[in-house]
Structure formats: C-alpha cells, structure tokens
Amino acid sequence: MLGFVYRLIIGPTTPDRVVALDAIGITLVSMVAILSILLDTNAFLEIILLIGILAFIGTVAFAKFLEKGVVIERDRDHS
Amino acid sequence: MTLLHVAILLPFLFAIFVPLLRKYMPQVHTGWFVLLVPVTLVVYFSQFLEVTGNNEAILESVPWIPALDISFDVYIDGLGLLFALLITGIGALVVLYSVYYLDKHKESLHTFYVYLLLFMGAMLGVTLSDNVIVLYTFWELTSISSFLLIGYWNHKDGSRYGAQKSMLITVFGGLAMLGGFIMLYLMTGTFSIRGMVEQSEVIFAQPLFIPAMLLVLLGAFTKSAQFPFHIWLPDAMEAPTPVSAYLHSATMVKAGIYLVARMSPIFAESGVWLWLVGGVGIVTLFWGSFNAIRQTDLKGILAYSTISQLGLIMSLLGIGAAALQNDGGENIYIAATAAAVFHLINHATFKGSLFMVVGIVDHETGTRDIHRLGGLMTVMPITFTLAMVGSFSMAGLPPFNGFLSKEMFFTGMVNVLEMDFFSLETFGFLFPVLAWIGSIFTFVYSMRLLFKTFTGDLQRDKLEKEPHEAPFGMLISPLILGSLVVIFGFFPNILSINIIRPTMASILPSLITQGETFQVDIFFWHGFTVELFMTLGVITVGTLLYHTYPKWKRVYNVIPKSLELNSFYDSGMHHMQRGALNLTQGVMTGYIRNYLVAMFIFIVGLLAFVLIDTKSWNVTTENTAPIGVYEVILAIVTVVAAITILFAKSRLTSIIALGAVGYAVSLFFVLFRAPDLALTQLVIETVSVALFLLCFYHLPKLGRNEERMRFRFTNAIVSVGVGAIVTIIALVAQSEKLFDSISSYYIENVYEKAAGKNMVNVILVDFRGFDTLFEIAVLSIAAMGIYAMIRLRLARRNEES
C-alpha cells in the first residue's frame, strides 16, 4: 500500500495517480477483510462491498473526466 | 399629580396643540396663543413667593419608576423659584417679542413655538426637579430643544454647524453629569438632591467625592459656556434673535449656574470646589470680555459678553463657598453669594433687552456688522435709549443695576485677599486682579456696542433697508426689561427680601438656623471704599482703551489662528473622523485571509493564555490504550497524504491526496470499530472529491495557472500554532477525565427500551433524534440553496442575453 501511496504522490501523470488510487481502494478491501478476521466481527463486510463499488465508480468518473473533460454530459449539448 | 406637576408639563402639553392652531387659525399669529402659557405660569409661580419668603419649601412627588427609586419630585425653594420666575417671565417677553420679530407668512411658526415650548418645559423641569435622574432627563431635553432652535433656519450651513457644535459639547457635558449623579447615588443610596445634601458629610469622606464633583462640574461648565467649553455659544448665535435672547443669555446657559448653586451644599466644603468654580469662572470672565472687544458682529459681542458674565457669576459662587470655612465672627464671604444671585437676575434683564435691541437693529437695517452701522441714534431714539440702559448696566455704571452687582462683585473678590485657607494666601490675589481687568474689558466692549451702532455717521449706502424705528410691539419686551434694569437699580431691596434671601438660604443651607434669614441690603453708597476706586479705575482706563482701540487691536493677532480653541475643536473633529476612517480602512482590508489570520491568532493567544494561566498542561498517559502496528501505518499514510496536499504542484494532485486522506480516515473508522461511520465516510468522501473535481474544472483560465502554493512565514507560524495548541489541548483534556462516560446507559437500554441492536442508529433516531431532524433540515437547506443559486444565475443570464 505504501508503494501505491508513493505512486500517488510522485506519479508523473494523472492516470498514474488514478490507477494508484484505484489500487489503494482494492488494497483497502483486503485490509478491511483481514481486519474483520482479526477483530472477529462481521460488521465490516458491507464496507468491503461499498469500497468495491465506490472505487469502480470513482475510477470510471476520473477516467471519463480525463478523457472528455466532463463527468456527466448534458444531452442538450449534443442535440 | 398635583398642580405643580401640571405647571411643569403644561408647555409640553400645549406644544401638542401648536401645529393644530397654526393650521386651523392661520390668520392669527401663533405666538399669541403661545403667550398664554408663560403668562399663566408666571402668575402661578409668583404665588409661591410668599412661601419661599418664609424660608419654607414645597415638595410634591409623583412616582415614575418606583422600582428604581426614581420619582418625579418637584421641589420649590428660593433657588428653584428664582429660576422658574426667570424662565417664565423672560419666556413671556420673548414670545411677545417673537410675535413681532418672526413673519407670519414666511416662517414655519409652529415648529418654532413647539421647540420653544419644549425648551421652556424642560428648563422648568431642570430647575424644579429634586430627583437627579429626572433633572438629567430635562437637562438633555434642553440640549435637544436648543439644538433644534439653533438649527431653526436649517437651510443655512452656519446654523447646522452651530447646532451640531452646541449639541456635541453640551451632550458631552450632560453625559459626564449623569456619571457624577450615579456616583452620588452610589455614595448616598438616594437620587434625591435633598437626601444628598443631608448626607454631604458622608459624601465628603468618600473616595468618589472628587470624581463625582469633577463630572458634575463638567456638565455645569459645558452648559454654562465656561472656559474652555465656551466655544459653542458664539456659534449658537445663528439662531433667531428671540432664541438667542431667551436661551443663550437668560435661561439655558444659566442651567449650569443653577446646577453649581444647587450642588454647593454637597461639594462646597472642599477646596477643590472653590478653586475650580472660582478659578474657571474668573478665567472665563477675563477671556470672554477680552474676546468680546474684537467681535464686529453685534450678536458676537453679546455672545462673548454672556460668556464673561456667566464666568463672573460662576466665580462668585465659587468664592461664596469660602463662607463655609468661616467659623465665628462676621461672615464677610456670604457677600459673594449674594452678589452672584443679584447679578444673575441683573444679567437676565439687561442681556435679554440688549439681545432684543440687537434683533431690532438687525430687523430694521438688515445688518449686524458694526462696521456698516452707525448714526442710528436720531433714527431710532427708543432703541438707542434701551441700548444705552442695557450697555451702561452691563459695563457697571451708576445708576443701573449692573453698577450695584459690580460693586458687590468687587467686594467679593477683594475679600479673597483675606482668606488664609486652601493656599489662597499665595495665589488669591489673582482673583481681584483678573476681575478688575475683566471689568475694564467689559466696559470697553459695552461702549463699542453702544457707540459704534448708534453714534457717528449714518452709512445709508451700506444698509440694505432704509432704517426706521421699530414697530411698537417689538419694543414692548425690551422696554419692560429696560425699566426693570432701572427699577432694580434704584430699588434693589425689593428683590432682596422675597428672592435673594431665600435663594441664598438654598445655596448655603448650613449657615442659617430655622426661621433665620440672611441679611442682604444693597446700597448705592458704601462710602469711599476700595470698590468705588476700582470702579473709577475701570471707567478711566476703559475710556482710555476705548479711544485707543485701533492702536492696540493688533494684540489679537498675537495668538496664531491655529492655537485658538475653535481651531482645536475643528481640527480635533477632523482628526477624529480621519483617525476612525484610517483605523477602519487599516483593519477592514476586505481580504478574508487577513481576517482569518486575526481570528486564528486570537484563538491561539486566548487558549495559550488560559493554558498557562491555569497551569493545566499536565499530560499523563494513564488512560491511554496501547498503540498497534496498524494504527501506526495508517497514521503515516494519512500524514504523508496531508503533507502532499500542502506541497502539491497541481490542484488535481491536491484533490486526489485529499481523497486519500478521507479514505484513510474511513479505514481508521474500521480500525476503531465504527462500521456506520466508515460507510458514510466512504460515500461522502467520494461525492466530495467528485464535487472538488467539478469546481476544479470550472476554474477560470486566468487563475488556473498551476503554481505551487506560495510560502508565507506568518501563515506558517499561525498554522503551526493552531495545530500545536489544539494538540496540546486534546492531550490535556484526555489526561484529565473527571468522570465516567454515560454510554453505559445506552449499552444497557438499547434493546430493552428502544428495540434496536445497532446502538449508533438507535442514538441517532431514538435517544437523540432531535439532532438528526435538524441535520436533515441542514441538508435540505443546502440542497435548496444550491438549486436556487444555479437557477437564479441561469435566469439572470437569460434575462441579460
């Protein structure tokens, strides 16, 4: 995870950072899972799902932003 | 509510109807109706002469604010009655004069008479109130009504300037006086003046005695135009002449005299009182008479003359206080108080008539400048006679009343030489010397006033109108006052029994026993005394100075303009405004960053001061949990990400690093077993990072230059300070836990009472649901606010295009 953080800070281009962020998200998933085992509870299983969804949405949004400059396109602009 | 209260409130009540009279009876000059009020009052008050003549007093009380010990007490004794008669008597004459002076069609008469009646009622209230708070109320009413009257012709710049100046100075003094009254209340526990007089011994021994005296005197000196607060009076001459005659010679400026006389029994034991009242009075006398000579405007002469005569009365009151120091034997210092009271009456008569004469001259020729006037003696014989009587009386020539009071004044001042207390034996000789010089100047300006106006050549081309004698109605009032000057001059003792003696009994109550009266007899002829030679000297030197005036008038240029009191006032006002403006502009820069720096410095300073002051920086590690390896790793990640935000080159990096911090925090939540918080934190962090990106995208081109945040030393210090102080406080708070948490109650009852197993959620919606409700409200307001901002902006843009 420290490696990803290093990439996040140094990362010469923005996509590098976005990928690092996505990877951090997935690492977080595994960390939460291991933590749940360590703490002997199942209260954090929802967080695992949520991180997965958010990391996906966030990465997609970033990607779209980097590609097109906007996240949500307005229909009117194209018609 | 007795008849006395009604008498004081009558002018106020009548003032309500004045506009109606003006509106529905425009064919009759409103002044005629108003005249009824003072005439009624003067008849009513004169019936008390018999009561006060026997040294008795009348007290009527109506509760006003009983809870605060404030009641509308009316107290009539010699002093109060003298002033009441002056106010109503001269008030009647001034109203009569104003009927002929003010034009029925051109002037807004109703406002004039409303203001005048307000003033009359307020002045009656000042002189007849026994409760100091009520006195103060009426006192401020006189200031306000005087302000309105000076600014009566409010289209003129001079009127507005004069009104503002007099307002600022007199209200300044009034507030000081209120402070003095409150101190007196703190010392005695009563608002009643009689109650304070009874406890004067108690007051004398208290540390607040001197401050209270200074504050009360400040009020009296500003109101009575004493040095150096006299500067407002010459500028108040912009008022209509009846106002000048009434307020600024006979009544309002004597309110300070009244206050000094009324407070004498409380304060006069002290040497500070004698020196202050006597000294300021004599300096005012000298300075006012000296400056009166250089004036070229008739009303200007009279204004400075009023200042100097008020100084005369004030100094006599101060010297009269010496009577209290004299034990046994014949008390010669009482003469000063008698002279003060007598001159008070005399001054009201001759100064009132002189103002009216000047008004007539102004009215009939169109100017008050003595350089343009002259030779009016043959054109206006009656006015000239009146002016002569007034001026000679003012100068102190026999056989008018001014002569008598000037002789008594000299007597009082010469007696100072015999005083051997309050270090008067060293500097006391200044009193008679200054008094004598002041009298010479008085003689000179009185003569200038009379002869420059009425003798010499008539300069028709310089006058705006063809001069002629005034209508008879305008002459009635000055004629009455002028004849009073002569009557009091020949038969001064008619005043003595009914007015002067009871008044002195009010000023010096401790010197007489019950049923006894002061012996005051006023004679023309004392024999060949010092006073007579002083008067002869005044006349000789005065005549000499009058004839050589053009040769020595350069004396007035010795004092540069920038050192005059008026320019002190003007530049003081100017600098105060500029200073306030500069201060505001210096502090209120309009930059949020400056305000934030100020706020943070204040927070750090305050917290650090409290920490050091209470010596509560002990940090213990007793209650802390052991630190695990996961926490350390997470903390490092968070710190690294946070530092990245600070030093990132591009904004995008900052935003991503901020997201990293947020996710790390949510991981902390996981680590510290807060699943609900972790869930919410994750979602919120994602949304806000998205919003930041939105903002980033919409930044204008200009500000978009990707630049590292500039380093500022102050900001660094402040932020490190804030971080340090918050950390220290958190540690200190942690180490001093005084009692256990209340969470055990929730743990026990979460299922039994609230039927839930998720404790966080039960607290949110059940135990403390109110907070949640309003947080929902906050969110809705935020959503609606965003919607409104976007829509309104769009709508405006559409309108513009």
Side-chain angles (χ1 to χ4, degrees):
Chain A
M1 188 170 170
L2 283 173
F4 293 134
V5 172
Y6 173 77
R7 185 54 53 203
L8 182 76
I9 299 160
I10 301 300
T13 65
T14 311
D16 283 334
R17 293 198 175 97
V18 175
V19 171
L21 202 62
D22 194 36
I24 288 175
I26 303 305
T27 324
L28 281 179
V29 169
S30 54
M31 279 175 75
V32 172
I34 297 165
L35 269 177
S36 299
I37 297 168
L38 281 178
L39 299 173
D40 196 17
T41 170
N42 59 4
F44 296 124
L45 297 184
E46 296 149 21
I47 292 172
I48 294 173
L49 284 176
L50 193 74
I51 294 175
I53 297 166
L54 285 178
F56 174 71
I57 295 174
T59 314
V60 169
F62 265 117
K64 198 168 177 192
F65 175 74
L66 292 172
E67 190 80 359
K68 297 191 170 176
V70 289
V71 179
I72 301 166
E73 289 168 56
R74 298 171 75 180
D75 291 340
R76 258 182 295 172
D77 295 344
H78 294 283
S79 62
Chain B
M1 207 65 158
T2 58
L3 207 55
L4 260 175
H5 292 92
V6 178
I8 290 177
L9 296 177
L10 181 69
F12 296 108
L13 297 175
F14 196 82
I16 298 171
F17 299 103
V18 166
L20 297 176
L21 287 171
R22 165 76 167 166
K23 193 172 178 189
Y24 294 108
M25 282 193 243
Q27 64 277 21
V28 186
H29 196 289
T30 320
W32 289 116
F33 301 111
V34 177
L35 188 57
L36 289 173
V37 178
V39 170
T40 319
L41 288 176
V42 81
V43 171
Y44 175 72
F45 280 119
S46 49
Q47 68 179 5
F48 290 104
L49 277 175
E50 211 172 319
V51 180
T52 57
N54 299 329
N55 270 348
E56 284 162 16
I58 292 178
L59 176 74
E60 300 286 357
S61 181
V62 167
W64 181 24
I65 314 173
L68 295 179
D69 190 20
I70 296 173
S71 52
F72 186 9
D73 295 338
V74 178
Y75 182 69
I76 292 198
D77 62 350
L79 182 65
L81 186 66
L82 164 65
F83 271 91
L85 286 175
L86 271 183
I87 292 158
T88 49
I90 296 185
L93 296 176
V94 161
V95 171
L96 179 65
Y97 177 76
S98 70
V99 167
Y100 291 93
Y101 187 84
L102 293 172
D103 193 277
K104 189 162 63 176
H105 305 291
K106 285 183 204 152
E107 309 282 0
S108 53
L109 288 178
H110 50 293
T111 48
F112 179 80
Y113 285 113
V114 167
Y115 299 161
L116 200 71
L117 283 170
L118 280 183
F119 173 77
M120 193 183 290
M123 204 58 213
L124 277 178
V126 166
T127 52
L128 296 180
S129 294
D130 186 52
N131 191 297
V132 285
I133 298 298
V134 177
L135 191 153
Y136 171 73
T137 312
F138 283 118
W139 184 278
E140 290 299 357
L141 259 178
T142 64
S143 292
I144 292 167
S145 51
S146 160
F147 166 78
L148 292 168
L149 282 167
I150 297 169
Y152 176 63
W153 286 313
N154 53 22
H155 55 271
K156 291 201 288 189
D157 281 340
S159 295
R160 294 202 301 269
Y161 173 76
Q164 189 202 36
K165 192 173 182 180
S166 72
M167 181 82 163
L168 286 174
I169 293 178
T170 54
V171 169
F172 160 72
L175 282 174
M177 193 184 78
L178 178 65
F181 285 164
I182 291 172
M183 284 184 187
L184 283 175
Y185 175 72
L186 292 177
M187 286 189 275
T188 61
T190 173
F191 280 124
S192 157
I193 296 177
R194 283 171 312 111
M196 290 172 185
V197 171
E198 280 164 17
Q199 300 187 45
S200 59
E201 304 277 318
V202 181
I203 301 175
F204 188 62
Q206 299 228 13
L208 277 179
F209 175 77
I210 294 286
M213 180 171 89
L214 289 179
L215 287 174
V216 169
L217 278 184
L218 202 56
F221 286 170
T222 50
K223 200 75 161 183
S224 279
Q226 298 295 300
F227 188 87
F229 306 111
H230 63 272
I231 49 173
W232 65 268
L233 189 62
D235 284 303
M237 290 301 131
E238 293 292 336
T241 304
V243 172
S244 309
Y246 189 38
L247 274 68
H248 307 129
S249 72
T251 53
M252 187 179 94
V253 287
K254 292 204 171 113
I257 303 276
Y258 167 80
L259 192 72
V260 167
R262 185 54 97 197
M263 292 289 164
S264 280
I266 302 178
F267 294 119
E269 282 282 335
S270 151
V272 183
W273 171 271
L274 192 153
W275 268 106
L276 262 182
V277 177
V280 170
I282 205 83
V283 169
T284 312
L285 163 70
F286 171 75
W287 191 244
S289 57
F290 179 64
N291 272 301
I293 302 176
R294 71 194 288 197
Q295 303 297 318
T296 54
D297 177 26
L298 289 178
K299 277 175 99 172
I301 299 179
L302 288 180
Y304 277 103
S305 143
T306 305
I307 292 168
S308 105
Q309 307 273 327
L310 290 169
L312 190 158
I313 302 174
M314 199 65 100
S315 67
L316 281 172
L317 282 176
I319 298 301
L324 298 175
Q325 307 296 329
N326 193 5
D327 310 316
E330 200 186 354
N331 202 335
I332 47 171
Y333 308 121
I334 293 178
T337 312
V341 179
F342 188 47
H343 193 71
L344 178 79
I345 305 166
N346 292 345
H347 177 249
T349 53
F350 68 69
K351 192 53 65 67
S353 81
L354 278 177
F355 264 111
M356 292 175 184
V357 163
V358 166
I360 290 170
V361 170
D362 187 16
H363 207 262
E364 304 306 331
T365 61
T367 182
R368 298 196 308 250
D369 191 343
I370 57 171
H371 291 316
R372 291 160 69 189
L373 290 167
L376 291 174
M377 186 162 70
T378 47
V379 190
M380 305 164 78
I382 306 177
T383 318
F384 167 69
T385 316
L386 289 169
M388 192 182 69
V389 171
S391 311
F392 281 2
S393 179
M394 183 158 75
L397 299 180
F400 304 108
N401 57 7
F403 170 70
L404 299 170
S405 46
K406 180 133 303 179
E407 293 278 281
M408 292 164 75
F409 168 56
F410 284 150
T411 312
M413 289 299 148
V414 169
N415 283 341
V416 175
L417 294 175
E418 295 177 21
M419 296 183 190
D420 49 2
F421 36 85
F422 303 148
S423 63
L424 275 164
E425 60 273 23
T426 341
F427 297 107
F429 71 90
L430 281 175
F431 280 96
V433 170
L434 277 178
W436 190 66
I437 299 174
S439 301
I440 294 172
F441 288 139
T442 307
F443 182 86
V444 176
Y445 72 69
S446 303
M447 294 308 117
R448 271 175 66 77
L449 177 77
L450 181 65
F451 291 118
K452 292 287 173 197
T453 314
F454 290 99
T455 58
D457 302 322
L458 189 59
Q459 300 159 314
R460 282 181 203 278
D461 50 323
K462 285 190 183 173
L463 299 180
E464 281 155 31
K465 298 177 189 170
E466 176 63 32
H468 55 79
E469 185 59 272
F472 181 66
M474 216 184 229
L475 288 169
I476 300 174
S477 301
L479 269 176
I480 294 174
L481 286 172
S483 41
L484 281 179
V485 169
V486 179
I487 292 171
F488 293 159
F490 281 110
F491 310 105
N493 287 316
I494 54 168
L495 286 174
S496 158
I497 296 167
N498 281 326
I499 295 183
I500 297 182
R501 285 181 190 173
T503 309
M504 286 179 64
S506 324
I507 303 177
L508 302 166
S510 59
L511 288 186
I512 51 163
T513 47
Q514 192 66 38
E516 202 182 328
T517 52
F518 283 103
Q519 212 51 45
V520 180
D521 293 305
I522 303 162
F523 301 110
F524 258 113
W525 183 249
H526 301 274
F528 290 102
T529 52
V530 188
E531 296 86 15
L532 187 67
F533 290 114
M534 282 172 89
T535 306
L536 287 176
V538 165
I539 296 171
T540 330
V541 181
T543 318
L544 210 69
L545 280 180
Y546 172 69
H547 285 294
T548 53
Y549 174 67
K551 286 179 189 150
W552 58 271
K553 72 174 172 187
R554 255 176 283 124
V555 171
Y556 290 107
N557 299 332
V558 170
I559 302 173
K561 256 211 142 26
S562 56
L563 281 181
E564 280 175 19
L565 284 167
N566 265 323
S567 44
F568 268 125
Y569 168 83
D570 287 333
S571 61
M573 294 295 287
H574 177 73
H575 284 125
M576 258 174 8
Q577 284 181 355
R578 283 303 302 271
L581 191 68
N582 287 343
L583 185 70
T584 317
Q585 280 174 346
V587 178
M588 295 289 171
T589 49
Y591 292 112
I592 290 177
R593 56 172 178 267
N594 293 353
Y595 303 153
L596 283 177
V597 166
M599 282 189 236
F600 282 128
I601 287 177
F602 179 74
I603 290 171
V604 173
L606 187 70
L607 293 179
F609 174 77
V610 172
L611 265 183
I612 293 166
D613 193 48
T614 55
K615 296 193 171 55
S616 54
W617 56 71
N618 356 312
V619 176
T620 57
T621 48
E622 278 172 22
N623 295 325
T624 45
I627 302 171
V629 67
Y630 304 109
E631 285 96 331
V632 174
I633 295 171
L634 255 182
I636 291 169
V637 170
T638 317
V639 167
V640 169
I643 291 173
T644 315
I645 299 177
L646 280 181
F647 295 97
K649 249 189 204 144
S650 81
R651 287 204 177 86
L652 202 56
T653 320
S654 292
I655 293 167
I656 292 170
L658 184 67
V661 171
Y663 288 132
V665 168
S666 76
L667 213 59
F668 266 120
F669 287 146
V670 172
L671 204 60
F672 293 132
R673 289 165 220 185
D676 296 288
L677 282 179
L679 276 177
T680 321
Q681 170 69 19
L682 276 172
V683 180
I684 294 297
E685 194 57 42
T686 314
V687 172
S688 40
V689 166
L691 282 176
F692 273 119
L693 285 176
L694 193 71
C695 297
F696 170 73
Y697 172 71
H698 284 290
L699 274 182
K701 287 274 184 289
L702 193 67
R704 220 171 169 178
N705 47 347
E706 306 263 301
E707 204 178 80
R708 178 170 295 186
M709 205 168 67
R710 262 175 301 163
F711 181 76
R712 281 201 189 83
F713 190 67
T714 337
N715 294 2
I717 297 260
V718 169
S719 50
V720 169
V722 171
I725 203 84
V726 171
T727 313
I728 292 169
I729 285 179
L731 288 175
V732 167
Q734 173 64 29
S735 9
E736 295 228 349
K737 254 190 188 161
L738 295 179
F739 37 80
D740 288 336
S741 150
I742 56 163
S743 56
S744 54
Y745 171 82
Y746 292 130
I747 296 169
E748 282 161 18
N749 293 307
V750 68
Y751 187 73
E752 278 179 25
K753 291 199 171 157
K757 285 181 179 166
N758 186 330
M759 203 175 86
V760 176
N761 289 357
V762 168
I763 289 175
L764 280 180
V765 299
D766 203 326
F767 288 131
R768 310 199 43 184
F770 266 122
D771 299 355
T772 316
L773 178 65
F774 290 106
E775 269 152 35
I776 293 170
V778 167
L779 280 181
S780 356
I781 290 168
M784 280 189 285
I786 291 165
Y787 181 75
M789 278 200 300
I790 295 170
R791 293 303 292 193
L792 289 179
R793 206 161 140 255
L794 284 179
R796 206 184 310 144
R797 199 177 287 169
N798 289 344
E799 246 169 52
E800 276 166 17
S801 62

